[in-house]
Amino acid sequence: MGDPPAAAAPAEQAESARPGYTGMWVGITCEFVEFAVFFVVYFVARWSYPDVFRAGAPRLWTLGGLLITMVMLTSGYALVRTVLAVRRDDQRGARLWMTSAFVVALGYPLVKWLEIQHNLAAGVVAGNNAFFTVYYYLTINHFMHSAWGILGMLWVLVRVWQGAYRPGNPKGVESMAIYWHATDMVWLMLFSLFYAFV
């Protein structure tokens, strides 16, 4: 009867040694696989319609892409600072940095809305050509993943203000930071492929 708890101990130790929850790492792996498929679609379309891709990229709102990049990275930095504050048991710092991360992240939906308005005015409409279709397909999927992240930040923000995260229990805020950094990485690839190096 004593064997099962002993066998479970290594799994618990492995869970505690890794930042964030195992489930979050599994979810991020699935997200990367999903976007790998999307990137295959991108490169097949780009190979098939190189002139359309070269002509389409200059019509995008590059400033919007840069602003989204700044929002993603700045919010990610604030999440890192939140994790560090929680690990030091600096509750005031954790509240400050987590609030900053959430408020900055709210800039993404605003910039995305402005970008869509700009695109519609410039005739950048999904279905007009392969470039615009793939652009909307990938960037809106990324926006949806980021929207889930913003909702997750709201939950973590409430929990931080409740004092739920301590040096012995930082996994919730670590998981949030890990997820947001994963969406950062995907966005940097999207920015490169659509705005910077087409």
Side-chain angles (χ1 to χ4, degrees), residues 92-140:
R92 182 175 177 277
R95 288 192 295 270
L96 172 69
W97 285 109
M98 190 63 224
T99 302
S100 300
F102 178 70
V103 170
V104 171
L106 289 177
Y108 186 4
L110 173 62
V111 174
K112 195 65 184 172
W113 182 81
L114 293 172
E115 182 182 38
I116 289 172
Q117 299 309 307
H118 175 275
N119 287 347
L120 294 176
V124 178
V125 179
N128 278 6
N129 63 40
F131 176 78
F132 296 153
T133 300
V134 173
Y135 161 77
Y136 278 110
Y137 183 64
L138 268 72
T139 58
I140 288 178

Side-chain angles (χ1 to χ4, degrees), residues 160-181:
V160 164
W161 276 89
Q162 292 173 341
Y165 304 115
R166 298 286 176 172
N169 180 32
K171 286 192 176 293
V173 71
E174 288 174 347
S175 292
M176 184 65 255
I178 291 164
Y179 179 84
W180 195 254
H181 288 315

Side-chain angles (χ1 to χ4, degrees), residues 35-108:
F35 275 97
V37 172
F38 292 163
F39 288 131
V40 169
V41 170
Y42 169 91
F43 283 110
V44 168
R46 184 171 176 172
W47 178 268
S48 302
Y49 305 99
D51 295 337
V52 171
F53 271 64
R54 278 192 295 272
R59 294 177 64 185
L60 297 180
W61 189 36
T62 305
L63 175 60
L66 285 169
L67 289 173
I68 291 171
T69 303
M70 290 174 58
V71 164
M72 296 291 296
L73 296 178
T74 304
S75 187
Y77 173 76
L79 283 170
V80 169
R81 295 300 301 262
T82 304
V83 170
L84 294 175
V86 167
R87 288 177 179 171
R88 291 192 309 268
D89 203 19
D90 175 8
Q91 294 298 306
R92 182 175 177 277
R95 288 192 295 270
L96 172 69
W97 285 109
M98 190 63 224
T99 302
S100 300
F102 178 70
V103 170
V104 171
L106 289 177
Y108 186 4

